[in-house]
Structures are given as C-alpha cells and as structure tokens.
Amino acid sequence: SSGINAEYGEVPLTPHQNGISSHAMKVKVLNRNPNDYLKTRSGDLPKLPRNVDPTLHPHAAQREYTAALNAVKLERVFAKPFVGSLDGHRDGVYSMLTHPKRLPILISGSCDGEIKIWNVTTQECLSSVVAHAGFVRGIGINQPGDTLISVGDDQMVKLWNVEDAMSKGSATPTHTIVSKGLLTGVDYQWGASTDTFATCGSTVGIWSVHRNEPLRTFDWGVDTVTSVTYNKVETYMLASTASDRNIILYDGRESQPLRKVVLAQKTNQVAFNPMEAFNFTAACDDNNLYTFDMRKLKSPLNVHMGHAMAVLAVAYSPTGREFVSGSYDKTIRIFPIGKGRSKEVYHTKRMQRVFCTQYSADSKFILTGSDETNIRMWKSLAWGQLGPVSSRERAAFDYNKRLIDRYSEHPQVKRIKRHRNLPKMIKSISAEHMTIRSARKKKEDNRRRHSKAGSVPLVSERSKHVVREEE
C-alpha cells in the first residue's frame, strides 16, 4: 500500500475498522521485497542476505587469514608448469624466436645448422632446412613476419621467405650475403616497412636487404661482439655485448657508438623492455642479471639473483612486467621487473644447459631451447588453468590473489609462497655461494670496524658489479 515504507509499513485504521475508538491507530507491518531473495532465473545463484556489521562477525580476520593460507597452498598444489616438448632437432637448440603475427608459429635454429618452423599448438614441424654449415648463430624476423634472416659459422647471411617455407615444407634462400668475417648474431630492426638489420662479429654492422655491403659499421676497440639486439620502442637504438665485458649502446642513425658500460664479468645477452623503452636487462657470467636505465649506466636499477651458474639467455614478456632467464645450471627462472628474487624456477631431470628463451605473443607461455636438442613449452603462470575460464572461476582466482597479496608478509604464507623444490646440485652450489657472500661481508665489516673512519667506504650491492661507464 502507499502507507508502507521500506522496512515497516504503517497502515492507518478507520474508526469503523477499529470498532473501539474514533481515533486513528497505526499498526507496524513487516515488508519484504521478493526481488531481494527470489531468483530471477532458475540458473541464478541463490540470494543470501548478509549483515556486514563487524560486531556480528568477530572472527572475520581469522577466517580471511585461513582462506589466504588455503589459497597459497592450492597454488602450490596446482603448480604444474610443463606443457610439452618439441622434439626433432639433432643438436642443441642455439637460437629461437616467435612469429610476430601468428601466435602458434615458432622458428628455431640448432648447432648443426638446421632451421625448423614449428606449430606449437599441434606440436608438429612445418618446415625444416639445413641453412648453414655449423652453428646457426642467430635468427631474426621483420615485423610483418614474411622475411627471416639467419647467420651462421659459414660467414653467410641468408634471407628466407617464411610463407614459402611453411607452405612447401622446405625453402631456398631468397638472397645470400657473404660476410668478410665470422658473424655471431643478428637482429632485424622493428618497423612495418623497414629493411634494415644488424649483425655482430668483430664489429657491429648495419645492413640493408638490398645491398651486399653494410651501410655502416661500429667499432670501439673491443674483442668479439657476441650478441646484438634492437629496441622495439626506440627502433633506432640497439645494444651489443662483447667478450671483454662491455655493453655498448648505438644509434643506427649515427656514425659512432653512444656509450658503453664495463661490468665485472662478461655479458652473454641483452633484452630491452618492450614497455619501458629506456630499460634493458643483461644476463651475465657471474650468475646474476642486471637491469639498467640506458640514460644512467653507472649503477643498475636492480640486481636479479638466484641462478647457480652463468646466465646465458634472457627474454621479456610482451607485457613488460616480467622476464625469463635461462642458465648453465639447467634451470629457467621468472623474475618480476622490480624484484631481485625470482618468483618461479622451472627444471626437469632431462633438461640441460638452456641456450635461448622466448615468451609467446600472448605472454601465457614460455619456450626454451636447450643443449639436449629439445624445445620445451611452459606456462608463465605455474598454477594457471589452460583452456576457457568461467566468470565465477575468474572471480575466485582474483579474490585468492588479493588475499595472498594482503597476507604476503605473514611468515606462514610467505614461506609457502617462496618454497621451491630444487635439484640437489643447485641447492649445494647456492649454499656455497651464500657462504662465500656472507664471509666476504663479514670480512669487509671487520675491516671497516678496525680501520680509520671513512677509509673503507660502504659500497652498495648494485654498484659493486659496474667497473666504469664510458661515453
């Protein structure tokens, strides 16, 4: 009736209805709206009323902590990251890349000179060709994804048509360039219409696919340049690593290198962050990775530790929020960009030294090539579910993630979240490294304590590994 309010209705009675007095009388009546507790459709979830008054729920915090503890335990229970392997190479897989336009296409090069094109969805080889005599030292692909470039120990640069190779099952190079020296790496400049690529060896050369001689060469009095990488955001910027511990930055439009930084140990590979144009990460022989801002190379932004042996490969996720590294210790690790410790470590009994790593274009999978001829596919989120996820499942995943983040510093949750089972060899080497670091720190503290004030300066961990910066 019009006299009924939201919770209680007040219905005035007429004197005739009262029968006792001529004065009006108010009677309060409970009123419930059926829309608050009845399902609209048969498939809807039942509607349950809940009073959120905290005084009625004195144990809410305890229940929430238990839910967080169960959520982090379930993550470890469902952590099954290995998806499958691509078997077909006859020697170690040395270089690898994903197709920029087709999600399931992967291209790999091995130490016996063979290049294969794979469909990772069906786990079958689409094309195979013996491209070089000796190692395939590097492969690159342009942004449209129609031209592949490869270099090998035979001092040749070969260009391939990807579509022909996929349709015919094999291919012949569309163009071949003979280099004057040994080449150790190659990368294509990113851009929809560019025809420029860079090679490295005794020097760094900038080439055009229409010429048999480099457009320009860069030389800074270094030993052999081991790798070269283009920046996909600032497309004229590129970086190289050399065997004399240098990381050198170049601008493809200039005639001279821009600057270089000398580290304490040799750098094996560099990867640029696809979302933060100025930042790059270097994989080094001292078991660490270093993230630098190219505008300030005197000190790294972060030092990423965890590997027990030299780090051979590094690759960024397309989201730019994490990167994966492959090491000589037969493991791969996933690092968030702002953390010094890895969030995941993957290994198998059969996997050997990891030479190359890549993310899939949707950042859901990681692909690794190792010394025992296999390419392995892993989930980037170890406990993630493959296949379609319903809205209720997605809501449950998001709620559990927020719970774990909220209680991430609680000792029990933190212990379960960080614990990983590692091979005995990795644990023993890591324990030895920890003992060495603690002994060095103790020795340095003793020297500082028993020396004149200021004579033994305190050097941060980030600055210890950089020798100098040159411009």
Side-chain angles (χ1 to χ4, degrees), residues 298-318:
K298 291 183 180 179
S299 176
L301 298 176
N302 212 332
V303 180
H304 310 278
M305 299 181 175
H307 281 293
M309 294 184 184
V311 188
L312 303 179
V314 59
Y316 264 95
S317 166

Side-chain angles (χ1 to χ4, degrees), residues 163-182:
E163 298 298 330
D164 288 349
M166 292 173 57
S167 60
K168 297 177 181 178
S170 63
T172 56
T174 58
H175 186 51
T176 302
I177 303 172
V178 180
S179 173
K180 295 180 180 179
L182 181 66

Side-chain angles (χ1 to χ4, degrees), residues 271-450:
F272 283 98
N273 190 324
M275 292 298 169
E276 299 175 1
F278 295 110
N279 295 347
F280 65 89
T281 298
C284 296
D285 270 353
D286 60 356
N287 315 340
N288 298 336
L289 298 104
Y290 304 96
T291 298
F292 285 93
D293 187 328
M294 69 171 67
R295 299 166 295 183
K296 184 181 178 183
L297 298 176
K298 291 183 180 179
S299 176
L301 298 176
N302 212 332
V303 180
H304 310 278
M305 299 181 175
H307 281 293
M309 294 184 184
V311 188
L312 303 179
V314 59
Y316 264 95
S317 166
T319 61
R321 305 310 303 165
E322 63 185 26
F323 60 87
V324 61
S325 62
S327 172
Y328 200 87
D329 64 7
K330 309 174 187 177
T331 65
I332 63 173
R333 290 178 180 264
I334 303 174
F335 292 87
I337 58 173
K339 302 291 184 180
R341 299 290 177 179
S342 61
K343 71 172 187 176
E344 292 291 348
V345 53
Y346 297 159
H347 57 88
T348 65
K349 290 183 178 180
R350 191 181 169 201
M351 186 166 69
Q352 299 299 310
R353 296 166 292 186
V354 181
F355 287 141
C356 49
T357 57
Q358 282 290 333
Y359 269 91
S360 63
D362 59 357
S363 74
K364 293 182 179 180
F365 298 95
I366 294 170
L367 299 145
T368 62
S370 50
D371 199 17
E372 86 298 342
T373 75
N374 267 21
I375 298 172
R376 289 180 173 81
M377 185 162 52
W378 315 77
K379 291 186 287 187
S380 59
L381 188 62
W383 52 270
Q385 179 178 334
L386 297 178
V389 179
S390 67
S391 58
R392 290 180 60 189
E393 288 176 322
R394 175 57 56 194
F397 291 157
D398 293 341
Y399 176 67
N400 288 340
K401 184 178 183 302
R402 289 195 298 270
L403 277 180
I404 295 172
D405 291 342
R406 181 171 184 177
Y407 291 91
S408 59
E409 294 304 320
H410 192 280
Q412 292 296 325
V413 176
K414 188 175 184 180
R415 181 186 62 83
I416 297 172
K417 186 177 180 181
R418 293 186 60 178
H419 177 73
R420 297 294 183 273
N421 292 319
L422 294 174
K424 185 177 179 180
M425 182 265 292
I426 303 294
K427 292 190 69 175
S428 60
I429 294 177
S430 300
E432 183 180 356
H433 288 170
M434 187 176 297
T435 303
I436 293 173
R437 284 196 298 267
S438 61
R440 287 176 179 173
K441 185 177 185 302
K442 184 177 180 180
K443 182 178 179 180
E444 185 178 344
D445 292 342
N446 289 338
R447 287 182 59 198
R448 187 178 296 109
R449 187 179 298 111
H450 297 288

